Amino acid sequence: MTNVIWIMVAVLGTFTVGYMGYSRYLSRFVELDDERETPAHKYEDGQEYVPSKKPVLLGHHFSSIAGGAPIVGPITAGAIWGWVPAMLWIAIGNPLMGAVHDFISLSSSIRHEGRSIGYIVGQYVGERGKNLLLWFAFLTIILVVAVFALVVGIVFNAFPQVTTASTIYVLLALAFGVYLYQLNGPFVPGTVLFVAGVFAGVWVGIQYPFALFELAEGSHPAGTFVLFSGSTGSWVPGAAALGGNAAGWVPIVMVYAGIASALPVWVLLQPRDYLSSFLLYTGVGGGVLAVIVGTILGTSSQPLVIDSSIGVFEGFWGIEAAGLFPLFPLLFITIACGTISGFHSLVSSGTTSKQLNKESDARLIGYGGMLGEGLLGALALSTLAVAGFAGDAAAGGIGGALPNFATGGGIILTSFGIPQAIGSVFMALVLVSFLLTSTDTAVRLGRYMMEEIVGMDDGMTVSGLSGGIGAAARGRYTNPVIQIGIAYVLVISGQWQTLWGLFGGANQLLAALALLTATVWLANWDESKQLVSTGVPMAIMVTITVLGLTWVALYNNLYVNLIQGGAGTLGAQLSSAAQMILGLALIYIALSLVRIGVGNLRSVRSGEAPAAEPSDD
């Protein structure tokens, strides 16, 4: 049987070459210069623009981009089409496309005062292009919030130990923010103290699990404190599809994300992401190292080989249980984060660029951060390979993704002598820490998008509590309510399979538009700049994602769910109709923007339009 270590060898090999060679070339290509003042210093305000130490910002960036998608996506794809196609898409696509996308998005933003990719494209193709991209990004963010909150609810339901540990982790982050920024406590001792507290929270969670409702089938771990003891929460919206306990956690997670998104970055975002980065580094780095140690020394509880239930290659249509799932284009939108993700461009140009201390930090944080997420995707695929597939691939992957990542990760960590029960809870906490950071960062980014769409007219307040509809749409306190309200409606139908496909397609298409924005910037900056590094990945992703979203909208939602009756309840039917309309709208917006962008490129390269300086505003 094949050892799991070969998945890691392939990925580490291509990632090393990419970082040592390609990222160095790209750094010279965009002319990173530490003498140039970054937006974080130029506009420092203690609220959004805050210069950050490289390890702190790397922690924020990595925590924000690495949500549940690089875990669920590779496991789902590996189960449906086999582990080799999934591995190759991560190993090759990440350093040539995803890491380039993240690095260029960050670099272009710091040259445009920390503005978003929507603002940047507007500089060169006009107001209509800017608004199209911002609306596309805003709609995609709503899907991100819906999907990530859903997965957190499912994780909390399966592992009530993680609910307690996550609560402790958030409280510690709030305390660390006060310690670091208000009390000016020493950085290193504070790091040691609070990181130790986060890891101690795992032990506390195992001892004192917490749940909202009883389970309709089965029972929680012994000793679990159930808030509504004796009730299964069947009255909670979405309980029929998700179960009362999981459905109950979804709105709580969304409300948390809305509140966290409105706070200054120093209060929760920066300290929490920095603390969680130690969880993430330990989970990803420890998992990768455990595969190597367990394979070479044989110290794991069972041989780290690829289980017979996971095929090498299951064919173009995948396993029979999945139904009609063509490898092209669906593999490439099923594995979004982990290879290339448009959401990362919003993080890079939304929060990270406003905190970058010096330009040279962009190489490690932008390019290197994406490689780190690729390692997470490879680790997720390895957990599937070790544990075997425990779930229904046709259900969209979440039924198998969670138990595989936690169970398989627990098996892998036995290589270090860690009991599997503790290792599984720890890996589940790693998953939740990814999700929580990404969810409230997404809501904050959605507010940024709407601020640029609406602008600030006379009478509008920053809070959004007065000044009319426009003020409410962009307000710090009102905009999150709009986002989480729409996201919640999408979640409660329980249509996980189509919601995940729509999220993946929209996310990947946003990546194509971010690459289009970068290509337009480079072309307008200097007529001699080569456009291959961004232009070729853009063309590939536009083709893949338009076809993928068309399949999801017209086949999965219109034909299977609405015409054939796959959506059995009124809520599911409404959700399917909404997803179909949203998918078609995203395709229209994207193709319109591509047409405008390509027109600009042709004009510039033919000499019809003047080239702009990279920092022009």
Side-chain angles (χ1 to χ4, degrees):
M1 301 182 72
T2 306
N3 287 320
V4 171
I5 195 174
W6 292 113
I7 295 175
M8 293 299 180
V9 169
V11 170
L12 287 172
T14 59
F15 285 12
T16 300
V17 172
Y19 188 77
M20 298 300 293
Y22 201 26
S23 72
R24 181 176 285 109
Y25 162 75
L26 291 173
S27 297
R28 294 195 298 267
F29 177 64
V30 300
E31 301 175 15
L32 295 183
D33 183 3
D34 286 345
E35 297 300 316
R36 188 183 288 113
E37 188 178 33
T38 64
H41 288 284
K42 187 175 183 180
Y43 301 106
E44 184 174 359
D45 60 4
Q47 178 77 28
E48 311 291 353
Y49 291 85
V50 181
S52 302
K53 296 181 176 66
K54 184 157 62 173
V56 174
L57 185 55
L58 178 61
H60 154 70
H61 183 79
F62 185 54
S63 300
S64 297
I65 66 173
I71 294 172
V72 178
I75 288 178
T76 304
I80 294 176
W81 294 288
W83 64 270
V84 167
M87 178 194 71
L88 291 177
W89 177 226
I90 296 171
I92 298 172
N94 186 303
L96 292 180
M97 299 172 68
V100 173
H101 164 277
D102 288 22
F103 173 78
I104 293 291
S105 295
L106 177 56
S107 299
S108 62
S109 181
I110 62 175
R111 296 297 175 80
H112 292 82
E113 314 298 343
R115 301 294 186 93
S116 72
I117 58 171
Y119 177 88
I120 297 168
V121 78
Q123 286 292 103
Y124 304 110
V125 304
E127 191 71 13
R128 182 168 180 266
K130 168 190 171 183
N131 287 334
L132 283 172
L133 185 53
L134 289 173
W135 272 112
F136 188 100
F138 183 75
L139 294 175
T140 301
I141 279 174
I142 290 174
L143 290 171
V144 171
V145 173
V147 169
F148 286 4
L150 170 61
V151 180
V152 172
I154 293 172
V155 175
F156 281 174
N157 179 65
F159 290 91
Q161 306 97 320
V162 177
T163 307
T164 304
S166 298
T167 303
I168 293 172
Y169 142 72
V170 171
L171 293 175
L172 284 171
L174 289 169
F176 188 50
V178 173
Y179 167 86
L180 202 60
Y181 292 101
Q182 299 300 304
L183 303 180
N184 295 316
F187 183 70
V188 174
T191 295
V192 173
L193 177 63
F194 282 93
V195 169
V198 171
F199 282 94
V202 176
W203 179 86
V204 175
I206 293 174
Q207 301 302 313
Y208 305 101
F210 175 76
L212 290 177
F213 299 103
E214 304 284 0
L215 298 180
E217 297 181 6
S219 59
H220 291 298
T224 300
F225 173 75
V226 181
L227 183 61
F228 298 99
S229 181
S231 172
T232 61
S234 58
W235 51 271
V236 177
L242 302 172
N245 191 51
W249 281 118
V250 172
I252 293 174
V253 172
M254 288 186 175
V255 170
Y256 156 80
I259 294 173
S261 71
L263 296 173
V265 294
W266 68 265
V267 174
L268 179 60
L269 185 144
Q270 278 192 354
R272 181 210 54 208
D273 289 358
Y274 176 64
L275 292 178
S276 71
S277 68
F278 287 90
L279 273 177
L280 309 184
Y281 298 151
T282 303
V284 177
V288 172
L289 187 59
V291 169
I292 298 172
V293 171
T295 301
I296 296 175
L297 302 181
T299 54
S300 58
S301 62
Q302 67 183 58
L304 300 183
V305 296
I306 297 177
D307 189 84
S308 59
S309 64
I310 310 301
V312 175
F313 175 54
E314 296 288 357
F316 182 79
W317 295 103
I319 59 175
E320 184 177 350
L324 292 177
F325 265 67
L327 183 146
F328 181 87
L330 295 189
L331 167 69
F332 305 97
I333 64 174
T334 301
I335 301 179
C337 302
T339 297
I340 179 171
S341 168
F343 176 65
H344 297 186
S345 68
L346 305 183
V347 176
S348 296
S349 66
T351 58
T352 305
S353 63
K354 295 177 175 64
Q355 302 173 59
L356 198 73
N357 185 46
K358 56 184 181 180
E359 287 197 355
S360 61
D361 292 349
R363 181 186 174 203
L364 174 64
I365 293 168
Y367 196 97
M370 183 56 193
L371 295 182
E373 181 173 278
L375 283 179
L376 174 61
L379 177 62
L381 186 60
S382 299
T383 63
L384 167 73
V386 169
F389 191 66
D392 182 6
I398 191 60
L402 174 60
N404 271 287
F405 186 71
T407 303
I411 293 171
I412 289 173
L413 290 179
T414 61
S415 300
F416 294 138
I418 300 172
Q420 184 177 338
I422 295 177
S424 295
V425 172
F426 172 73
M427 294 303 284
L429 177 60
V430 169
L431 173 56
V432 167
S433 63
F434 280 128
L435 291 163
L436 289 177
T437 54
S438 296
T439 303
D440 69 73
T441 297
V443 178
R444 184 182 293 267
L445 293 172
R447 172 163 57 86
Y448 292 165
M449 299 297 108
M450 193 54 65
E451 284 175 357
E452 294 195 39
I453 293 172
V454 175
M456 175 66 87
D457 295 332
D458 292 341
M460 285 188 181
T461 59
V462 173
S463 68
L465 299 177
S466 62
I469 296 176
R474 75 185 300 281
R476 177 172 296 153
Y477 306 125
T478 51
N479 174 271
V481 176
I482 297 172
Q483 292 188 59
I484 63 180
I486 299 173
Y488 187 57
V489 171
L490 291 174
V491 169
I492 59 176
S493 69
Q495 293 291 301
W496 166 259
Q497 179 183 358
T498 51
L499 184 58
W500 181 265
L502 183 61
F503 156 71
N507 189 36
Q508 298 292 66
L509 193 48
L510 179 59
L513 297 181
L515 288 167
L516 172 66
T517 301
T519 306
V520 168
W521 166 55
L522 293 171
N524 282 269
W525 174 3
D526 189 335
E527 293 180 0
S528 65
K529 288 287 185 184
Q530 60 90 359
L531 305 180
V532 175
S533 295
T534 55
V536 171
M538 175 199 70
I540 292 173
M541 296 311 300
V542 167
T543 302
I544 288 172
T545 51
V546 166
L547 292 175
L549 278 175
T550 301
W551 180 277
V552 170
L554 300 184
Y555 178 78
N556 286 344
N557 283 293
L558 178 61
Y559 180 68
V560 174
N561 287 342
L562 297 178
I563 295 178
Q564 289 196 325
T569 65
L570 178 61
Q573 291 167 1
L574 291 175
S575 178
S576 292
Q579 290 181 50
M580 179 186 69
I581 294 171
L582 183 56
L584 295 176
L586 291 172
I587 292 173
Y588 171 76
I589 293 173
L591 291 181
S592 298
L593 190 55
V594 168
R595 180 181 60 81
I596 295 172
V598 170
N600 173 270
L601 293 174
R602 287 175 175 170
S603 297
V604 171
R605 286 303 162 99
S606 65
E608 296 176 9
E613 291 299 319
S615 58
D616 262 2
D617 291 312

mmCIF file of all heavy atoms in Angstrom, residues 314-336:
data_model
loop_
_atom_site.group_PDB
_atom_site.id
_atom_site.type_symbol
_atom_site.label_atom_id
_atom_site.label_comp_id
_atom_site.label_asym_id
_atom_site.label_seq_id
_atom_site.Cartn_x
_atom_site.Cartn_y
_atom_site.Cartn_z
ATOM 1 N N GLU A 314 -10.598 7.850 -9.417
ATOM 2 C CA GLU A 314 -11.922 7.237 -9.513
ATOM 3 C C GLU A 314 -12.609 7.484 -10.852
ATOM 4 O O GLU A 314 -13.761 7.119 -11.037
ATOM 5 C CB GLU A 314 -12.820 7.762 -8.382
ATOM 6 C CG GLU A 314 -12.353 7.402 -6.984
ATOM 7 C CD GLU A 314 -12.544 5.933 -6.655
ATOM 8 O OE1 GLU A 314 -13.093 5.194 -7.497
ATOM 9 O OE2 GLU A 314 -12.141 5.516 -5.555
ATOM 10 N N GLY A 315 -11.899 8.078 -11.801
ATOM 11 C CA GLY A 315 -12.485 8.337 -13.110
ATOM 12 C C GLY A 315 -13.064 9.734 -13.224
ATOM 13 O O GLY A 315 -13.210 10.465 -12.245
ATOM 14 N N PHE A 316 -13.424 10.108 -14.451
ATOM 15 C CA PHE A 316 -13.886 11.468 -14.739
ATOM 16 C C PHE A 316 -15.146 11.810 -13.957
ATOM 17 O O PHE A 316 -15.302 12.944 -13.494
ATOM 18 C CB PHE A 316 -14.146 11.623 -16.239
ATOM 19 C CG PHE A 316 -14.581 13.006 -16.638
ATOM 20 C CD1 PHE A 316 -13.658 14.031 -16.764
ATOM 21 C CD2 PHE A 316 -15.924 13.293 -16.873
ATOM 22 C CE1 PHE A 316 -14.053 15.310 -17.122
ATOM 23 C CE2 PHE A 316 -16.330 14.574 -17.234
ATOM 24 C CZ PHE A 316 -15.394 15.582 -17.358
ATOM 25 N N TRP A 317 -16.068 10.858 -13.787
ATOM 26 C CA TRP A 317 -17.325 11.129 -13.102
ATOM 27 C C TRP A 317 -17.249 10.847 -11.606
ATOM 28 O O TRP A 317 -18.222 11.052 -10.889
ATOM 29 C CB TRP A 317 -18.458 10.336 -13.725
ATOM 30 C CG TRP A 317 -18.743 10.756 -15.139
ATOM 31 C CD1 TRP A 317 -18.371 10.102 -16.275
ATOM 32 C CD2 TRP A 317 -19.415 11.956 -15.567
ATOM 33 N NE1 TRP A 317 -18.772 10.807 -17.374
ATOM 34 C CE2 TRP A 317 -19.419 11.942 -16.983
ATOM 35 C CE3 TRP A 317 -20.007 13.023 -14.891
ATOM 36 C CZ2 TRP A 317 -19.999 12.962 -17.735
ATOM 37 C CZ3 TRP A 317 -20.590 14.041 -15.650
ATOM 38 C CH2 TRP A 317 -20.582 14.008 -17.044
ATOM 39 N N GLY A 318 -16.124 10.349 -11.124
ATOM 40 C CA GLY A 318 -15.961 10.102 -9.705
ATOM 41 C C GLY A 318 -16.704 8.870 -9.245
ATOM 42 O O GLY A 318 -17.172 8.050 -10.050
ATOM 43 N N ILE A 319 -16.844 8.718 -7.926
ATOM 44 C CA ILE A 319 -17.503 7.534 -7.382
ATOM 45 C C ILE A 319 -19.001 7.584 -7.670
ATOM 46 O O ILE A 319 -19.590 8.647 -7.814
ATOM 47 C CB ILE A 319 -17.266 7.402 -5.857
ATOM 48 C CG1 ILE A 319 -17.807 8.644 -5.111
ATOM 49 C CG2 ILE A 319 -15.792 7.215 -5.561
ATOM 50 C CD1 ILE A 319 -17.718 8.536 -3.622
ATOM 51 N N GLU A 320 -19.608 6.425 -7.733
ATOM 52 C CA GLU A 320 -21.017 6.325 -8.112
ATOM 53 C C GLU A 320 -21.932 7.066 -7.141
ATOM 54 O O GLU A 320 -22.931 7.668 -7.539
ATOM 55 C CB GLU A 320 -21.411 4.848 -8.180
ATOM 56 C CG GLU A 320 -22.836 4.619 -8.661
ATOM 57 C CD GLU A 320 -23.167 3.145 -8.795
ATOM 58 O OE1 GLU A 320 -22.235 2.317 -8.692
ATOM 59 O OE2 GLU A 320 -24.348 2.827 -8.988
ATOM 60 N N ALA A 321 -21.595 7.053 -5.840
ATOM 61 C CA ALA A 321 -22.456 7.667 -4.831
ATOM 62 C C ALA A 321 -22.598 9.173 -5.019
ATOM 63 O O ALA A 321 -23.573 9.780 -4.569
ATOM 64 C CB ALA A 321 -21.907 7.374 -3.437
ATOM 65 N N ALA A 322 -21.637 9.788 -5.692
ATOM 66 C CA ALA A 322 -21.673 11.239 -5.855
ATOM 67 C C ALA A 322 -22.619 11.685 -6.953
ATOM 68 O O ALA A 322 -22.952 12.861 -7.052
ATOM 69 C CB ALA A 322 -20.262 11.761 -6.148
ATOM 70 N N GLY A 323 -23.063 10.753 -7.816
ATOM 71 C CA GLY A 323 -23.912 11.136 -8.931
ATOM 72 C C GLY A 323 -23.086 11.734 -10.048
ATOM 73 O O GLY A 323 -21.934 11.356 -10.260
ATOM 74 N N LEU A 324 -23.671 12.669 -10.795
ATOM 75 C CA LEU A 324 -22.972 13.298 -11.915
ATOM 76 C C LEU A 324 -22.076 14.420 -11.409
ATOM 77 O O LEU A 324 -22.522 15.548 -11.206
ATOM 78 C CB LEU A 324 -23.974 13.826 -12.940
ATOM 79 C CG LEU A 324 -24.766 12.769 -13.711
ATOM 80 C CD1 LEU A 324 -25.775 13.431 -14.642
ATOM 81 C CD2 LEU A 324 -23.839 11.858 -14.501
ATOM 82 N N PHE A 325 -20.817 14.091 -11.185
ATOM 83 C CA PHE A 325 -19.833 15.060 -10.710
ATOM 84 C C PHE A 325 -18.624 15.023 -11.646
ATOM 85 O O PHE A 325 -17.630 14.357 -11.373
ATOM 86 C CB PHE A 325 -19.402 14.721 -9.271
ATOM 87 C CG PHE A 325 -20.160 15.461 -8.224
ATOM 88 C CD1 PHE A 325 -21.505 15.224 -8.039
ATOM 89 C CD2 PHE A 325 -19.534 16.403 -7.413
ATOM 90 C CE1 PHE A 325 -22.229 15.898 -7.075
ATOM 91 C CE2 PHE A 325 -20.244 17.086 -6.440
ATOM 92 C CZ PHE A 325 -21.597 16.835 -6.265
ATOM 93 N N PRO A 326 -18.658 15.737 -12.779
ATOM 94 C CA PRO A 326 -17.525 15.711 -13.711
ATOM 95 C C PRO A 326 -16.272 16.330 -13.094
ATOM 96 O O PRO A 326 -16.329 17.398 -12.489
ATOM 97 C CB PRO A 326 -18.027 16.533 -14.899
ATOM 98 C CG PRO A 326 -19.081 17.423 -14.327
ATOM 99 C CD PRO A 326 -19.732 16.623 -13.238
ATOM 100 N N LEU A 327 -15.149 15.647 -13.258
ATOM 101 C CA LEU A 327 -13.881 16.137 -12.712
ATOM 102 C C LEU A 327 -13.591 17.542 -13.215
ATOM 103 O O LEU A 327 -13.161 18.413 -12.443
ATOM 104 C CB LEU A 327 -12.761 15.172 -13.071
ATOM 105 C CG LEU A 327 -11.365 15.490 -12.511
ATOM 106 C CD1 LEU A 327 -10.621 14.198 -12.211
ATOM 107 C CD2 LEU A 327 -10.554 16.326 -13.493
ATOM 108 N N PHE A 328 -13.800 17.758 -14.500
ATOM 109 C CA PHE A 328 -13.671 19.121 -15.048
ATOM 110 C C PHE A 328 -15.066 19.656 -15.317
ATOM 111 O O PHE A 328 -15.822 19.030 -16.061
ATOM 112 C CB PHE A 328 -12.867 19.122 -16.348
ATOM 113 C CG PHE A 328 -12.689 20.500 -16.927
ATOM 114 C CD1 PHE A 328 -11.630 21.297 -16.520
ATOM 115 C CD2 PHE A 328 -13.594 21.011 -17.856
ATOM 116 C CE1 PHE A 328 -11.476 22.578 -17.041
ATOM 117 C CE2 PHE A 328 -13.444 22.283 -18.365
ATOM 118 C CZ PHE A 328 -12.381 23.063 -17.962
ATOM 119 N N PRO A 329 -15.455 20.726 -14.677
ATOM 120 C CA PRO A 329 -14.655 21.679 -13.908
ATOM 121 C C PRO A 329 -14.793 21.540 -12.383
ATOM 122 O O PRO A 329 -14.217 22.338 -11.658
ATOM 123 C CB PRO A 329 -15.243 23.011 -14.341
ATOM 124 C CG PRO A 329 -16.716 22.698 -14.503
ATOM 125 C CD PRO A 329 -16.788 21.282 -15.006
ATOM 126 N N LEU A 330 -15.570 20.541 -11.893
ATOM 127 C CA LEU A 330 -15.955 20.576 -10.486
ATOM 128 C C LEU A 330 -14.812 20.319 -9.509
ATOM 129 O O LEU A 330 -14.846 20.815 -8.383
ATOM 130 C CB LEU A 330 -17.098 19.587 -10.233
ATOM 131 C CG LEU A 330 -18.422 19.913 -10.948
ATOM 132 C CD1 LEU A 330 -19.535 19.007 -10.443
ATOM 133 C CD2 LEU A 330 -18.814 21.372 -10.752
ATOM 134 N N LEU A 331 -13.794 19.538 -9.898
ATOM 135 C CA LEU A 331 -12.652 19.348 -8.999
ATOM 136 C C LEU A 331 -12.038 20.689 -8.628
ATOM 137 O O LEU A 331 -11.664 20.927 -7.474
ATOM 138 C CB LEU A 331 -11.588 18.467 -9.659
ATOM 139 C CG LEU A 331 -10.211 18.445 -8.973
ATOM 140 C CD1 LEU A 331 -10.306 17.723 -7.631
ATOM 141 C CD2 LEU A 331 -9.163 17.785 -9.848
ATOM 142 N N PHE A 332 -11.962 21.589 -9.596
ATOM 143 C CA PHE A 332 -11.223 22.836 -9.426
ATOM 144 C C PHE A 332 -12.008 23.893 -8.661
ATOM 145 O O PHE A 332 -11.444 24.919 -8.267
ATOM 146 C CB PHE A 332 -10.804 23.357 -10.802
ATOM 147 C CG PHE A 332 -10.024 22.349 -11.583
ATOM 148 C CD1 PHE A 332 -10.651 21.542 -12.521
ATOM 149 C CD2 PHE A 332 -8.676 22.167 -11.357
ATOM 150 C CE1 PHE A 332 -9.944 20.594 -13.228
ATOM 151 C CE2 PHE A 332 -7.953 21.217 -12.054
ATOM 152 C CZ PHE A 332 -8.586 20.418 -12.992
ATOM 153 N N ILE A 333 -13.313 23.663 -8.453
ATOM 154 C CA ILE A 333 -14.053 24.565 -7.566
ATOM 155 C C ILE A 333 -14.363 23.873 -6.248
ATOM 156 O O ILE A 333 -14.680 24.541 -5.265
ATOM 157 C CB ILE A 333 -15.351 25.090 -8.214
ATOM 158 C CG1 ILE A 333 -16.348 23.970 -8.482
ATOM 159 C CG2 ILE A 333 -15.032 25.848 -9.492
ATOM 160 C CD1 ILE A 333 -17.696 24.479 -8.977
ATOM 161 N N THR A 334 -14.273 22.532 -6.219
ATOM 162 C CA THR A 334 -14.427 21.820 -4.943
ATOM 163 C C THR A 334 -13.230 22.112 -4.053
ATOM 164 O O THR A 334 -13.365 22.375 -2.860
ATOM 165 C CB THR A 334 -14.562 20.309 -5.175
ATOM 166 O OG1 THR A 334 -15.710 20.058 -6.001
ATOM 167 C CG2 THR A 334 -14.724 19.560 -3.870
ATOM 168 N N ILE A 335 -12.017 22.052 -4.632
ATOM 169 C CA ILE A 335 -10.815 22.488 -3.911
ATOM 170 C C ILE A 335 -10.556 23.926 -4.318
ATOM 171 O O ILE A 335 -9.931 24.202 -5.331
ATOM 172 C CB ILE A 335 -9.602 21.606 -4.237
ATOM 173 C CG1 ILE A 335 -9.869 20.152 -3.884
ATOM 174 C CG2 ILE A 335 -8.368 22.105 -3.479
ATOM 175 C CD1 ILE A 335 -8.715 19.223 -4.192
ATOM 176 N N ALA A 336 -11.070 24.853 -3.518
ATOM 177 C CA ALA A 336 -10.832 26.273 -3.768
ATOM 178 C C ALA A 336 -9.674 26.710 -2.876
ATOM 179 O O ALA A 336 -8.514 26.690 -3.294
ATOM 180 C CB ALA A 336 -12.103 27.067 -3.483
#
